[in-house]
Amino acid sequence: MSAMKTRVFTAGKNGIDEQEMAVAAEIIRAGGLVAFPTETVYGLGGDATNPDASRKIYEAKGRPSDNPLIVHIENFGQLEEIVAEVPKEARVLAEKFWPGPLTMILNKNEKIPYETTGGLDTVAIRMPNHPVAQAFLKESGCMIAAPSANTSGRPSPTRASHVWEDLQGRIDVILDGGEVGIGIESTIVDLTEEVPVILRPGFITLEMLSEVLGTVKMDPGIVDENSKKPPKAPGMRYRHYAPKAELTLVEGQENQVVSAINGYAEKLISSGKKVGIIATEETKDRYPEGMVVSIGSRNDEAQVARHLYQVLRQFDEWDVDAIYSESFPTAGVGQAIMNRLLKAAGHKKITV
Ligand code: TXA
Ligand code: MG
C-alpha cells in the first residue's frame, strides 16, 4: 500500500475540535479510514455500508478477509435498519447494556455488504459508550465498521500511540481520545441460535447476561482448547493478541507460582536471555531478577484488564526473549482476562 500521511486529531476538554471532527466525518463518508477511541479499545473505522471501505480496513490491518467486522451504531434505529429481524433479546440487552461493551450477532439484511461480514449472513453490532466515538458516529451519519485498530496479530490498542505504532501511513486519521477505560474488547453474544451464546468473553460477564436473558451458554470452542468444534467467531480461531516473545502462564498457589517463575527466569537469564515477568501489585517485589511489570492488583480485576495489552506491548518494546505471567481466577471479568492471556500464550500454561 502506498504510504499516506496519517493525521492525528487530539481531543481537548470538550472532545475533538469541531472542524477536525467535520474533516474526519467527511473522510468516513468518502470511504476513508479513521481510527477512534471506544470504551474498550481503539477501533479502525470505515463506512460499514461501503464494500471498498471494508476492503481497505482488511488491507490496512493485514487481516484475513474472512474475519468479520463489528458495525458500530449510535442509536437503536440503525440496528433495525441492518438486520433481518429484531429478536426480543436484542431489545432487552440494548435497554440494559447499550451504549456499552457488548456486541450482538444478528441475521443481517442486504444493507450490510458481505465485505463487512466476511461473507457471513450475520452481522455483529455494537453501540459504544465513549463520547468521542458517539460524536463521530453522529457527525458522520454513518454506521462504522471497526475492528480493533492494531496490525493483525498484535495486542489491541488502548492508546492512540499504539494505533500510531501499528497503522501510521496506512490510514487517514487517528482521533486521540486518551487512554481507554476498559482495555479489553467487547463481550460478543450470538442471538441467532436457540440459546444465546457468548462467542468472546468481556467486561459484560455471563452472569450479567444470564440475569436478564435466562440461560446463556459459553461457546465451547473458546473454553476448551481441545473442543471438536472451533470457536464460532472467526477471530477467536487465530493466535492473537500475541506479544513477540513466547509467553507462558504459570498457575497454582501464589508462593509456588512466584518461586517457579523465579526459577525459570533465573535459568534463562543466566544463559544470557532477557526475561519479562507479568506480576501483580501483591507479588511484584518478590521477583529479584527479570523485567518485572505489575499488571495491577488482584483485588481489582478491572485494573488488570485495563493494563493487559499495554503490558504485552511494553515487553515487545523491551524486546524480551520470554515472558512468564501469573494466572488469574476465571470468575467474572477474570474469564475475559484469562481468555486473552491464554490466546496470547498460544495456550502454554504450566500448573505448579
Ligand atoms: O470492543 C470491541 O469489540 C472492539 C471495538 C473497536 O469496538 N472491536 C473489536 O473488533 O474487537 P475485532 O474485529 O478486533 O473483533 C471482532 C470479533 C472477531 O473475533 C470476529 O471474528 C467476531 O468479532 N465477529 C464479527 N462478526 C461476527 C459474526 N457475524 N459472527 C461471528 N463472529 C463475528
Ligand atoms: Mg481485534
Side-chain angles (χ1 to χ4, degrees):
M1 189 190 266
S2 61
M4 61 172 93
K5 190 160 179 289
T6 301
R7 282 180 287 174
V8 180
F9 299 154
T10 304
K13 265 203 304 299
N14 301 315
I16 303 287
D17 169 83
E18 232 172 82
Q19 274 170 15
E20 290 179 333
M21 187 58 100
V23 169
E26 184 47 41
I27 287 170
I28 283 288
R29 285 192 294 269
L33 302 185
V34 175
F36 60 99
T38 80
E39 75 278 33
T40 56
V41 299
Y42 273 75
L44 169 55
D47 176 356
T49 63
N50 180 344
D52 286 329
S54 291
R55 270 187 227 111
K56 281 198 219 166
I57 290 176
Y58 289 109
E59 196 184 337
K61 271 184 69 98
R63 172 172 174 138
S65 60
D66 62 349
N67 189 4
L69 309 175
I70 296 176
V71 177
H72 294 68
I73 60 172
E74 178 261 321
N75 62 72
F76 197 79
Q78 291 179 316
L79 177 148
E80 294 173 315
E81 263 181 68
I82 59 174
V83 301
E85 58 184 341
V86 184
K88 188 175 88 253
E89 290 83 0
R91 290 186 197 283
V92 172
L93 290 179
E95 180 70 30
K96 176 95 181 167
F97 297 111
W98 276 0
L102 179 70
T103 296
M104 301 186 213
I105 308 287
L106 295 165
N107 289 310
K108 77 176 199 73
N109 66 21
E110 66 295 334
K111 182 122 192 219
I112 295 294
Y114 285 113
E115 281 79 359
T116 300
T117 66
L120 298 176
D121 287 314
T122 54
V123 59
I125 309 174
R126 171 163 119 76
M127 191 188 291
N129 185 16
H130 189 291
V132 171
Q134 289 172 344
F136 182 44
L137 284 160
K138 212 171 235 154
E139 177 74 22
S140 69
C142 291
M143 293 177 254
I144 298 183
S148 50
N150 51 285
T151 302
S152 195
R154 288 214 75 201
S156 293
T158 57
R159 308 165 175 232
S161 61
H162 299 161
V163 181
W164 177 261
E165 257 167 51
D166 282 14
L167 297 176
Q168 169 222 141
R170 302 174 150 260
I171 63 178
D172 297 291
V173 169
I174 299 172
L175 300 180
D176 180 352
E179 196 170 351
V180 302
I182 292 180
I184 50 172
E185 307 86 345
S186 61
T187 306
I188 301 179
V189 62
D190 181 2
L191 298 178
T192 67
E193 312 244 4
E194 207 110 326
V195 173
V197 188
I198 293 180
L199 304 187
R200 179 173 73 182
F203 202 76
I204 309 264
T205 62
L206 178 81
E207 295 78 17
M208 288 157 79
L209 292 175
S210 303
E211 219 165 273
V212 291
L213 291 182
T215 308
V216 175
K217 290 195 302 196
M218 193 63 79
D219 179 357
I222 61 171
V223 183
D224 175 8
E225 62 192 285
N226 302 314
S227 159
K228 277 180 218 81
K229 260 191 157 174
K232 186 169 176 187
M236 300 300 278
R237 293 172 201 159
Y238 307 110
R239 174 150 184 247
H240 206 209
Y241 317 119
K244 291 178 199 152
E246 189 161 292
L247 168 65
T248 306
L249 304 192
V250 184
E251 181 185 65
Q253 192 260 322
E254 187 172 285
N255 288 330
Q256 284 167 337
V257 167
V258 171
S259 65
I261 290 178
N262 277 326
Y264 303 132
E266 198 187 338
K267 212 163 151 197
L268 285 177
I269 291 165
S270 67
S271 69
K273 300 267 194 251
K274 260 200 252 178
V275 176
I277 296 174
I278 301 181
T280 52
E281 283 305 295
E282 289 77 13
T283 57
K284 66 179 183 200
D285 298 325
R286 293 161 59 195
Y287 297 103
E289 291 186 88
M291 307 174 94
V292 182
V293 174
S294 167
I295 195 171
S297 168
R298 287 195 170 272
N299 301 321
D300 185 353
E301 52 183 14
Q303 189 184 45
V304 172
R306 188 160 64 243
H307 292 160
L308 189 124
Y309 290 134
Q310 186 187 312
V311 168
L312 295 180
R313 277 183 184 257
Q314 180 68 71
F315 287 127
D316 280 355
E317 212 169 285
W318 287 340
D319 211 14
V320 299
D321 299 297
I323 307 169
Y324 291 96
S325 175
E326 298 179 10
S327 298
F328 297 88
T330 56
V333 179
Q335 176 112 50
I337 294 168
M338 281 306 281
N339 168 264
R340 305 308 194 273
L341 274 173
L342 279 165
K343 283 198 72 185
H347 286 275
K348 239 180 315 59
K349 189 175 76 182
I350 301 173
T351 305
V352 293

